[in-house]
Amino acid sequence: MAFPIAAILKKAAIAVGSNKKVLKTVGCIALGLVVIICMPIAAVLGIFSGGAGIDTGKTEIPQEEILQAEETMERIEEKMLEKGFGEERIEKAMVLFSFCLFQFAEEENFAERLAGCFETEQTDEELIAAVNAEFGTNILPEEFRDLVNEIQKEEEKE
């Protein structure tokens, strides 16, 4: 009984192998089944093996960088107070450091250079022009003004 089944399968294989259209159809069906069965398994294995990470958009800032930023902010505040500036000017200096000039923090005399950009009775345009000249940046006065206003609004909410 097993012999006739083998003969039938042999004749079917010869028929499929000799007709290109049928061979192509059988091959596509076989490939489809392999993809349908193997891809979900591969995806599950990839996720649980740790090879695929999910980026939540949250990056952890190293503690050492936070401490350096705090020290820089303290130096800026100290230099601004030495020059006789009040809370509003100190806040503008902090905004400039936090959002525009943080990459210069490691440079020599950064706090002094930043405080040197401030003058009494100075407009935001004059301040930004001085900062751009001192640090070689391209900060726009309008963007700075908008940023300061946004921060003040947030502080008022608190």
Side-chain angles (χ1 to χ4, degrees), residues 3 8-9 11-12 21 27 41 46 61 69 79 81 85 134 138:
F3 182 79
I8 294 172
L9 289 176
K11 286 183 182 180
K21 187 175 181 181
I41 294 171
I61 300 172
K79 295 301 175 186
L81 288 172
F85 292 116
E134 178 68 31
N138 293 318

Side-chain angles (χ1 to χ4, degrees), residues 91 150-158:
E91 185 176 318
E150 190 67 32
I151 290 171
Q152 288 173 345
K153 287 178 187 176
E154 289 296 321
E155 288 176 355
E156 288 173 4
K157 288 180 183 178
E158 295 174 359

Side-chain angles (χ1 to χ4, degrees), residues 61-79:
I61 300 172
Q63 188 66 27
E64 139 184 339
E65 286 184 27
I66 293 171
L67 292 174
Q68 287 175 347
E70 288 175 353
E71 288 173 8
T72 301
M73 292 176 105
E74 288 173 7
R75 284 196 311 269
I76 292 169
E77 184 175 8
E78 179 183 305
K79 295 301 175 186

